[in-house]
Amino acid sequence: MAKLILLLLKLCILFFVVDAVFEDQVGKFDWRQQYVGKVRFSHFDTQLQSSKKVLVATESNVFAALNSRTGELFWRHVDKTGPEGNIDALLHHAQDAVLVVGNGRMLRSWDVNVGGLNWEMLLDTGSFQSACLVGQQGTVKHVAVLKKTVISVHYLSNGHQKWVENLPESETVDYQTVYSGGNGQVFVLGVVPHSHITIVVYSMEDGEIIKQVSVEAPWLSNIPASCAVVGQGTLMCVDSTTMSLNTLDLHQQLQMTQIPLQSLGLEVDPDFHPSLVSHQPNPAQKPLSEFFLQLGPERYLLLQLNNGQIVTLRDFKPALLSSFVTTGEKTVAAVMSPKNKTACSINLFSSDTGRRLLDTTLIFTVDPNGGKPERLHVQAFLKKDDSVGYRVMVQTEDHTLTFIQQPGRVMWTREEALSDVVTMEMVDLPLTGTQAELEGEFGKKADGLLSMVLKRLSSQLIMLQAWIAHLWKLFYDARKPRSQVKNEVSIENLSRDEFNLQKMMVMVTSSGKLFGIDSKTGEILWKHYLDNVPKNAAFKLMVQRTTAHFPHPPQCTLLIKDKDTGLATLHVFNPIFGRKSQVTPPALPQPILQSLLLPLMDQDYAKVLLLVDNQYKVSAFPSTKNVLQQLQETASSIFFFLIDSSQGRLSGYRLRTDLSTEQVWEVVIPTEVQKIVSVKGKRPNEHVHSQGRVMGDRSVLYKYLNPNLLAVVTESTDVHQERSFIGILLIDGVTGRIIHEAVQRKARGPVHVVHSENWVVYEYWSTKSRRNEFSVIELYEGMELYNSTVFSSLDRPHAPQVLQQSYIFPSSISTMEATLTEKGITSRHLLIGLPSGGILSLPKMFLDPRRPEIISEQSREENLIPYSPELIIRTEWFINYNQTVGRVRGIHTTPSGLESTCLVVAYGLDIYQTRVYPSKQFDVLKDDYDYMLISSVLFALFFATMISKRLAEVKLLNRAWR
Amino acid sequence: GDPLEAELSGFSVPLEHSFELDVAKFQSRGSLLLKTGREPSVSLTQNQLSEDDRSKLKEVAAVDGLYRIRVPRVSLQADRQTEWQVDGYLIAFVRACAMVESHLSDVITLHTDVSGYLIGVSIVTLPGACRGAEVEDEVDLEVYNTTLSIMAPVNAPPETALFLERMEQESEKKGKNPQEQKSFFAKYWMYIVPLVLFLMMSGAQDQSGGGAGGGAANGGGR
């Protein structure tokens, strides 16, 4: 008995091996990069001369502190997505950073040093207009928040409201700006468009209205865009219709003084709206009397207001960007001007005289594959000799931040475009030069015996040379300490590794910047900015030619489609080097409805891309004679489908030999009842190893493996929790036949779907039980296969058997994907991105509709887990341990050269790359595999046999003598 | 309930087909009688294929043309049939050769959505393959041998109702004879606990061996 129990316990130990990383494996096969998004506000922490923090608030609703020496994150706070978490304003004073979030819904104060929350205040409703810090007698203690109808002042120390006042005549007056000059008064500026400005002055003490005046200004409609407060509280506005500056002393005057720009000897570019930039070094003090006036896209003027007179200090022409910066008591102006095509120079100028400061030139090299500079963030500091030194952070159109030190040394760059990856592909790296040489030998046409022999000899010689070089490197590296041996990855020495585990990640971001990233290290190897990408573009990335066709370079095609007009462009590039291909893509004058990559190849091994336009005409790329001929031959077997979700219409077409199309099927789902939310096909590179499943009684249940199957998910238009439902349709994409139609009642989206092999897994919200549920559909042909050699949608008359089961999942999910391996032998896992940032690897075994309710001998034989309604989340299933991925939006899986291994990239705000082994590493020896032991045992056995053989011989001989 | 009423609540829509060498041209094939109500059903009356049509079908089959059918989009719900109007068709196809070689034996399925609207139609032939077999006898291509059905969406298993039922049954069983239902651990805990303790004490040394063995065993199992 005891032995039996012992055996049982041992079995337990054997089966429940923890599937997780060891501490020393952390970061060995995986990496994570954290991003913040496109910067909207930034402040340098200036409390201490040695401070290294840059505070950034971004359009992705992230507030973070960057290390200005390295570009790494000190801390990061990720708020809700969408308008709820939108950061309206960032105010920074000493060690407090005040954020207004969600259109004035929240007021938060953060401690800059540690990134902790000081306090948080829920504000009254009302749309946010403006906010400013209010100083008094040299100290800043309050923050004023202006909303559409109300102004409130809060203590900076604890967020409590000091006073709140309704704005007078807020129905007619559009209040836009709040300003304080540090003298115990708060100015609220509002405008009645095409009539007048209203100025309301509040007392800082109790919120009483001290003064309320109206000033005629019929040309003004937007104060922040055309006005600024300068000097001793003078409102300076620029009027683009009369080309004049208008000044108004907020304290005394009741009328604007107009100063025509011509009187200053200035000309404005036509069609340019001039703007003003002023600077208030400290909220407790008056703004400077100097200000910038931008007169054209490349022209800035530094002006000074001197006793009501405007003096031109300096004319910057050409100048791209300008900015004021204060350190200590000194304020300087930084101006960026173009130098030549590839570089810009930045100089400092004294703000009160406009004189150029000596030795302050800084060169910013413009990346030819990047965007134009968009904003300039300057950090100034006082040097030992009391002169001003500075560093700049340049923000370019492609969301890149570049931090530069004098005289032009780039300290770091952050590619913030990567915080919004839209789609990606992983491309095999090319073979090494020597391998390619060998391949090339077979690729070329034979030209004579002698030359072939010579070629063979030369390539063998090259290989020998490479091998010796490799040996030498090994020997050389072995003598160095391990830490110094670094495999520098560069674009030149990229080559495929033994198991094809290292690949090129080609990532497409919403800003239109493309990246090539080494999957092993996460290093960005190339980047390319497409500057003509529309704002609301949809992207589709296709690999037309892989690296397998040496000497033809690999080729990727990116389809960029404007969602509004449907017009599309193609960008063809080499995924390894990022260079634009010589191949000129066809011009697409018509809106594109559908694109499909055919398995057909042209004579250069590029797969054929078909584009269907809104006239249902088809164009091919590449469109060589060879391709058109092939298309004509195979036209009758090329089917495609179109989906119009606004009309609920799914329709199928067949290609004709003249590249026109004919409609062959149509399914219409009435939009009054339900709308199509997603359509998922199978991945074309998926392999399924086993055709069926062996049952308990040794018979085989064959899978229904239809590569053309589409899973269409619909949601009901009725959102009432009793009547809402989710529909699942399985449609054959070739024949339009509805294979299966099911509804999940009392359920609601968002629905996440994975469709692979013979199964569909989807997740939804159950309104009845108020929880997330998973459901799995599996399709089987039955005990016999209709046609085991080939699958044709046109010849499968019998409908498959459908099995379905549902489960409860304890968390909501962000995204879902299935693992993929080379040959499909390895068991499948589902990779589930959770809102918490974890990525869960859930074995598909648990989502199996054949899990029995009641355990029988047969189900035990089949290794089926008995059904239980809950799916549990086991912590060791998290493949990213503590490396959480912020706002995970997509997971990309790709097979490696090893059957056991699948490469995974999760992207969202962050990017995380790792490898997963769904069935453990059955084809790889362990890291700590004891080679010594096994070889010594082998040798020992070998010698033992030798000796015993000898002994046996001697014994035999002795016996024979006897 | 009333049979007369059920008969009254039916209406008919045309079933059309097209087999052309060039542009699709739909002609009447028969009419579908749809019976609405709680359990909709469908029946079909169809014409025979004329001499001309038969030869045309064979002609189309010879060039791998398509045989298409279409039905109008209608709702099977009783209250909507009066305002029935054609606002589009549902189309499906088979290869014309399959139609010929199966001697016009086809299976037509109409699919409805939850509210009883027709959303799709599908047609397959039995057998489905085109083997290039010649159909000599013209009579084989005269009369359709159609199997017709109408399919509404099935309800996906909402949850765990069955499981909960079973759990209840089991707990009832347990309530009846608690003595017999005692689990393995409940019975032998006095042996197991010291053993586990002993293993934990001694397990510290050969942990690595066990782990490696486990990995191998699991890998081998696939």
Side-chain angles (χ1 to χ4, degrees):
Chain A
M1 189 68 214
K3 264 191 178 171
L4 195 83
I5 292 168
L6 194 73
L7 199 76
L8 221 120
L9 282 168
K10 275 201 168 166
L11 273 177
C12 281
I13 294 168
L14 284 177
F15 276 106
F16 295 105
V17 178
V18 177
D19 177 22
V21 285
F22 291 104
E23 199 177 349
D24 61 339
Q25 286 180 320
V26 166
K28 201 171 167 194
F29 308 116
D30 63 326
W31 50 264
R32 176 180 66 162
Q33 287 169 358
Q34 292 188 300
Y35 294 95
V36 294
K38 187 189 180 186
V39 172
R40 181 181 287 166
F41 304 108
S42 82
H43 280 284
F44 286 95
D45 183 16
T46 49
Q47 293 172 68
L48 293 167
Q49 200 63 276
S50 59
S51 179
K52 294 185 290 192
K53 286 193 185 67
V54 194
L55 301 175
V56 289
T58 69
E59 299 192 348
S60 314
N61 305 350
V62 173
F63 178 50
L66 306 177
N67 185 336
S68 65
R69 301 284 185 277
T70 60
E72 281 158 17
L73 289 174
F74 277 121
W75 46 260
R76 183 178 78 169
H77 294 289
V78 182
D79 209 332
K80 288 178 189 143
T81 49
E84 247 184 298
N86 187 45
I87 297 172
D88 301 318
L90 165 64
L91 305 168
H92 176 220
H93 178 73
Q95 58 175 356
D96 295 325
V98 179
L99 286 185
V100 184
V101 179
N103 200 10
R105 187 179 53 90
M106 277 290 188
L107 188 65
R108 289 200 186 108
S109 166
W110 301 92
D111 186 305
V112 167
N113 292 329
V114 293
L117 183 67
N118 291 330
W119 49 261
E120 178 179 76
M121 273 299 183
L122 196 67
L123 299 183
D124 296 335
T125 51
S127 83
F128 172 80
Q129 296 295 322
S130 166
C132 79
L133 292 168
V134 184
Q136 236 175 331
Q137 286 126 23
T139 56
V140 180
K141 283 188 177 156
H142 302 102
V143 55
V145 180
L146 179 72
K147 293 200 171 186
K148 202 103 199 155
T149 58
V150 72
I151 177 171
S152 59
V153 170
H154 300 259
Y155 290 99
L156 207 52
S157 54
N158 54 18
H160 289 306
Q161 195 173 289
K162 182 168 169 141
W163 51 262
V164 58
E165 290 296 327
N166 282 322
L167 296 165
E169 296 159 41
S170 56
E171 312 87 56
T172 50
V173 184
D174 184 10
Y175 289 99
Q176 291 176 337
T177 316
V178 58
Y179 154 79
S180 162
N183 53 359
Q185 289 176 346
V186 181
F187 292 81
V188 177
L189 308 178
V191 66
V192 177
H194 314 296
S195 172
H196 60 269
I197 305 179
T198 301
I199 300 159
V200 187
V201 187
Y202 286 94
S203 157
M204 196 53 230
E205 287 309 312
D206 49 7
E208 213 174 307
I209 296 179
I210 298 173
K211 204 166 72 173
Q212 185 181 351
V213 288
S214 298
V215 179
E216 198 92 342
W219 43 270
L220 188 66
S221 61
N222 188 347
I223 301 178
S226 46
C227 298
V229 181
V230 297
Q232 305 289 322
T234 305
L235 184 70
M236 178 80 65
C237 292
V238 59
D239 176 9
S240 54
T241 49
T242 59
M243 294 300 171
S244 59
L245 285 173
N246 295 270
T247 61
L248 172 73
D249 193 323
L250 292 174
H251 298 280
Q252 295 145 14
Q253 279 171 311
L254 291 171
Q255 204 161 8
M256 284 205 149
T257 324
Q258 197 179 46
I259 305 167
L261 286 174
Q262 270 182 331
S263 72
L264 301 168
L266 300 174
E267 292 267 335
V268 184
D269 288 16
D271 311 325
F272 186 79
H273 187 84
S275 63
L276 294 164
V277 179
S278 69
H279 183 60
Q280 190 173 10
N282 185 337
Q285 288 166 8
K286 305 258 176 246
L288 294 182
S289 52
E290 291 80 21
F291 58 96
F292 273 116
L293 170 65
Q294 190 181 6
L295 281 181
E298 292 209 351
R299 187 173 182 201
Y300 285 85
L301 283 160
L302 182 62
L303 304 177
Q304 188 181 41
L305 182 71
N306 199 347
N307 296 329
Q309 298 296 311
I310 292 174
V311 183
T312 307
L313 293 179
R314 199 177 178 112
D315 188 351
F316 298 102
K317 191 180 176 184
L320 293 172
L321 298 166
S322 72
S323 172
F324 281 113
V325 64
T326 303
T327 175
E329 294 298 303
K330 285 188 181 174
T331 299
V332 290
V335 177
M336 177 191 267
S337 33
K339 206 173 162 204
N340 51 40
K341 267 192 182 152
T342 58
C344 293
S345 67
I346 303 167
N347 280 296
L348 287 192
F349 297 86
S350 156
S351 70
D352 37 347
T353 59
R355 201 165 40 78
R356 197 171 79 87
L357 300 178
L358 288 175
D359 300 327
T360 55
T361 307
L362 189 152
I363 304 294
F364 169 66
T365 318
V366 180
D367 184 356
N369 293 323
K372 288 197 222 69
E374 203 173 45
R375 277 172 71 186
L376 196 62
H377 310 270
V378 185
Q379 180 190 28
F381 51 88
L382 287 175
K383 289 184 190 161
K384 282 201 181 102
D385 58 354
D386 218 29
S387 64
V388 181
Y390 73 119
R391 304 183 190 98
V392 289
M393 186 166 80
V394 182
Q395 187 180 347
T396 42
E397 282 174 338
D398 53 344
H399 306 184
T400 308
L401 294 178
T402 314
F403 198 84
I404 316 166
Q405 204 176 23
Q406 269 182 293
R409 194 168 72 83
V410 175
M411 292 175 74
W412 49 265
T413 52
R414 283 184 73 87
E415 296 290 352
E416 290 302 339
L418 282 172
S419 70
D420 199 0
V421 174
V422 185
T423 175
M424 66 170 291
E425 279 293 337
M426 283 175 107
V427 183
D428 292 350
L429 291 175
L431 301 164
T432 56
T434 48
Q435 286 167 320
E437 178 78 22
L438 205 66
E439 290 277 321
E441 189 185 332
F442 295 112
K444 279 167 201 151
K445 298 269 184 301
D447 44 8
L449 189 68
L450 192 70
S451 67
M452 287 284 276
V453 170
L454 282 177
K455 213 178 270 171
R456 160 53 59 90
L457 282 178
S458 74
S459 59
Q460 296 286 47
L461 208 70
I462 291 167
M463 284 178 81
L464 186 73
Q465 206 176 350
W467 188 65
I468 290 169
H470 176 71
L471 278 187
W472 171 248
K473 191 167 177 286
L474 271 185
F475 173 70
Y476 194 74
D477 285 347
R479 294 189 307 174
K480 279 199 230 163
R482 188 158 268 203
S483 57
Q484 279 183 23
V485 183
K486 240 193 199 168
N487 282 325
E488 282 291 315
V489 187
S490 74
I491 219 147
E492 281 77 31
N493 64 13
L494 270 184
S495 65
R496 203 178 299 177
D497 60 337
E498 221 173 329
F499 298 124
N500 202 1
L501 289 164
Q502 187 180 10
K503 297 201 180 199
M504 178 67 82
M505 293 160 52
V506 179
M507 300 192 114
V508 181
T509 65
S510 64
S511 64
K513 195 165 187 182
L514 314 182
F515 291 90
I517 299 176
D518 173 25
S519 76
K520 201 172 185 180
T521 58
E523 204 176 321
I524 296 170
L525 296 176
W526 60 262
K527 46 200 170 190
H528 187 88
Y529 179 59
L530 305 170
D531 47 6
N532 51 1
V533 172
K535 268 266 179 295
N536 56 348
F539 298 90
K540 188 174 176 185
L541 182 63
M542 288 155 286
V543 182
Q544 278 199 294
R545 193 193 295 128
T546 61
T547 34
H549 305 287
F550 187 83
H552 300 290
Q555 182 178 322
C556 274
T557 301
L558 180 68
L559 180 74
I560 307 158
K561 180 174 153 183
D562 191 319
K563 273 185 195 158
D564 292 340
T565 61
L567 289 172
T569 50
L570 290 176
H571 174 68
V572 187
F573 62 100
N574 179 333
I576 303 301
F577 303 109
R579 281 195 292 265
K580 197 171 173 180
S581 166
Q582 264 91 6
V583 185
T584 41
L588 307 168
Q590 295 287 337
I592 298 296
L593 297 179
Q594 174 75 292
S595 65
L596 55 160
L597 201 62
L598 297 181
L600 295 179
M601 285 184 187
D602 72 347
Q603 71 271 35
D604 292 339
Y605 306 101
K607 282 185 190 162
V608 177
L609 176 68
L610 285 191
L611 298 158
V612 185
D613 65 20
N614 65 346
Q615 307 293 318
Y616 304 103
K617 284 262 185 289
V618 173
S619 53
F621 169 68
S623 56
T624 55
K625 217 170 162 189
N626 175 306
V627 170
L628 294 178
Q629 197 189 338
Q630 283 189 59
L631 278 178
Q632 266 178 16
E633 281 162 16
T634 53
S636 67
S637 61
I638 296 173
F639 292 84
F640 62 90
F641 62 91
L642 296 176
I643 290 156
D644 182 352
S645 62
S646 65
Q647 294 181 36
R649 190 183 299 272
L650 298 111
S651 39
Y653 292 81
R654 181 163 89 153
L655 196 67
R656 285 190 173 159
T657 45
D658 59 347
L659 292 191
S660 66
T661 57
E662 57 179 336
Q663 189 178 17
V664 292
W665 59 265
E666 179 152 293
V667 168
V668 186
I669 298 166
T671 47
E672 306 93 72
V673 185
Q674 49 192 334
K675 57 179 191 292
I676 300 169
V677 288
S678 93
V679 177
K680 280 260 170 142
K682 287 180 189 173
R683 294 180 57 172
N685 57 347
E686 176 182 282
H687 295 272
V688 180
H689 182 72
S690 62
Q691 291 275 311
R693 285 174 64 163
V694 181
M695 315 276 286
D697 59 359
R698 298 281 179 264
S699 61
V700 177
L701 184 63
Y702 287 99
K703 296 174 184 171
Y704 179 77
L705 297 166
N706 182 350
N708 308 316
L709 198 66
L710 303 173
V712 180
V713 180
T714 62
E715 274 182 44
S716 63
T717 45
D718 191 346
V719 289
H720 186 271
Q721 60 164 4
E722 284 296 313
R723 294 188 295 271
S724 67
F725 65 88
I726 281 167
I728 304 286
L729 266 110
L730 301 180
I731 295 185
D732 187 306
V734 169
T735 62
R737 186 179 172 196
I738 297 176
I739 303 288
H740 181 62
E741 189 189 358
V743 286
Q744 195 87 46
R745 293 195 188 266
K746 290 172 190 167
R748 176 157 65 74
V751 186
H752 299 271
V753 194
V754 173
H755 183 191
S756 182
E757 283 189 44
N758 63 329
W759 48 264
V760 179
V761 172
Y762 59 94
E763 190 261 9
Y764 55 90
W765 171 259
S766 163
T767 51
K768 188 188 170 201
S769 325
R770 292 161 195 254
R771 63 189 176 205
N772 291 285
E773 290 186 355
F774 264 96
S775 198
V776 57
I777 298 176
E778 286 197 359
L779 303 170
Y780 291 98
E781 292 230 345
M783 293 302 172
E784 278 170 45
L785 216 50
Y786 178 77
N787 178 354
S788 58
T789 47
V790 67
F791 187 95
S792 167
S793 284
L794 298 170
D795 178 20
R796 275 286 135 146
H798 303 291
Q801 297 172 15
V802 180
L803 302 173
Q804 186 165 14
Q805 213 167 50
S806 300
Y807 312 87
I808 303 163
F809 193 66
S811 164
S812 67
I813 72 169
S814 303
T815 184
M816 187 158 68
E817 189 53 86
T819 59
L820 197 64
T821 52
E822 184 82 5
K823 298 267 180 275
I825 299 168
T826 309
S827 58
R828 309 293 293 272
H829 278 202
L830 286 175
L831 299 170
I832 301 166
L834 303 179
S836 64
I839 294 165
L840 189 74
S841 178
L842 179 71
K844 170 68 180 56
M845 205 164 46
F846 286 92
L847 293 165
D848 181 353
R850 302 197 60 252
R851 283 175 69 177
E853 301 265 344
I854 295 143
I855 310 150
S856 66
E857 197 56 47
Q858 290 203 352
S859 69
R860 203 169 293 149
E861 185 85 1
E862 244 186 285
N863 269 332
L864 291 174
I865 308 159
Y867 178 71
S868 69
E870 297 96 358
L871 293 172
I872 37 167
I873 293 181
R874 279 163 59 174
T875 42
E876 67 265 24
W877 284 347
F878 284 105
I879 56 170
N880 58 339
Y881 47 105
N882 64 353
Q883 307 275 316
T884 53
V885 185
R887 281 198 206 134
V888 55
R889 228 177 312 107
I891 296 174
H892 183 89
T893 53
T894 201
S896 73
L898 282 175
E899 172 54 32
S900 67
T901 310
C902 169
L903 303 179
V904 177
V905 181
Y907 53 88
L909 189 60
D910 303 338
I911 296 174
Y912 180 75
Q913 190 277 144
T914 190
R915 301 173 189 170
V916 290
Y917 319 100
S919 295
K920 312 273 158 47
Q921 284 183 283
F922 58 83
D923 50 3
V924 178
L925 289 177
K926 284 208 175 290
D927 275 355
D928 54 358
Y929 184 76
D930 205 339
Y931 293 93
M932 279 304 283
L933 185 76
I934 199 99
S935 46
S936 57
V937 165
L938 265 178
F939 274 113
L941 282 174
F942 178 70
F943 284 116
T945 36
M946 295 285 278
I947 291 163
S948 55
K949 193 179 168 194
R950 175 87 194 126
L951 285 177
E953 269 173 13
V954 169
K955 200 172 178 186
L956 269 177
L957 193 66
N958 284 344
R959 194 182 290 163
W961 274 109
R962 213 175 275 156
Chain B
D2 200 73
L4 243 173
E5 217 179 87
E7 256 185 61
L8 277 176
S9 65
F11 62 101
S12 76
V13 292
L15 170 70
E16 294 167 299
H17 63 177
S18 151
F19 39 97
E20 303 288 333
L21 289 170
D22 43 6
V23 186
K25 198 159 60 190
F26 284 93
Q27 291 166 332
S28 172
R29 169 173 158 177
S31 71
L32 290 162
L33 184 68
L34 297 163
K35 288 213 178 105
T36 59
R38 201 161 273 257
E39 279 177 11
S41 65
V42 62
S43 58
L44 176 66
T45 50
Q46 48 191 352
N47 320 331
Q48 291 192 354
L49 216 52
S50 70
E51 182 74 48
D52 287 355
D53 285 346
R54 283 200 296 263
S55 59
K56 194 165 75 180
L57 184 62
K58 283 177 89 175
E59 225 172 90
V60 172
V63 295
D64 195 14
L66 303 180
Y67 176 86
R68 272 173 270 195
I69 58 164
R70 75 173 186 188
V71 289
R73 288 179 60 201
V74 288
S75 169
L76 297 184
Q77 260 187 356
D79 55 327
R80 284 200 201 157
Q81 55 157 305
T82 45
E83 57 198 79
W84 170 70
Q85 67 219 30
V86 179
D87 58 343
Y89 289 93
L90 306 167
I91 307 171
F93 75 97
V94 282
R95 290 163 78 186
C97 57
M99 203 69 192
V100 171
E101 285 180 34
S102 67
H103 306 270
L104 304 185
S105 341
D106 52 357
V107 180
I108 297 177
T109 313
L110 299 169
H111 295 269
T112 67
D113 71 351
V114 276
S115 59
Y117 234 105
L118 281 189
I119 61 163
V121 58
S122 70
I123 177 168
V124 289
T125 58
L126 270 174
C130 282
R131 294 204 171 76
E134 274 293 309
V135 179
E136 294 294 336
D137 201 354
E138 288 278 312
V139 184
D140 283 343
L141 291 181
E142 208 164 277
V143 186
Y144 294 102
N145 173 17
T146 306
T147 317
L148 192 65
S149 62
I150 189 156
M151 299 255 280
V154 297
N155 278 329
E159 51 193 313
T160 49
L162 260 171
F163 181 78
L164 291 176
E165 227 168 76
R166 188 167 64 88
M167 290 287 278
E168 258 170 41
Q169 278 174 7
E170 239 168 54
S171 64
E172 263 174 40
K173 251 193 222 166
K174 260 184 199 169
K176 274 177 200 160
N177 43 3
Q179 205 57 45
E180 278 177 37
Q181 290 296 314
K182 247 186 172 180
S183 74
F184 178 81
F185 275 92
K187 270 194 258 180
Y188 300 109
W189 66 271
M190 62 281 268
Y191 304 110
I192 293 166
V193 168
L195 241 164
V196 168
L197 281 175
F198 170 75
L199 272 174
M200 273 164 71
M201 298 291 213
S202 62
Q205 289 125 22
D206 55 22
Q207 220 171 29
S208 57
N218 262 344
R222 309 282 161 194

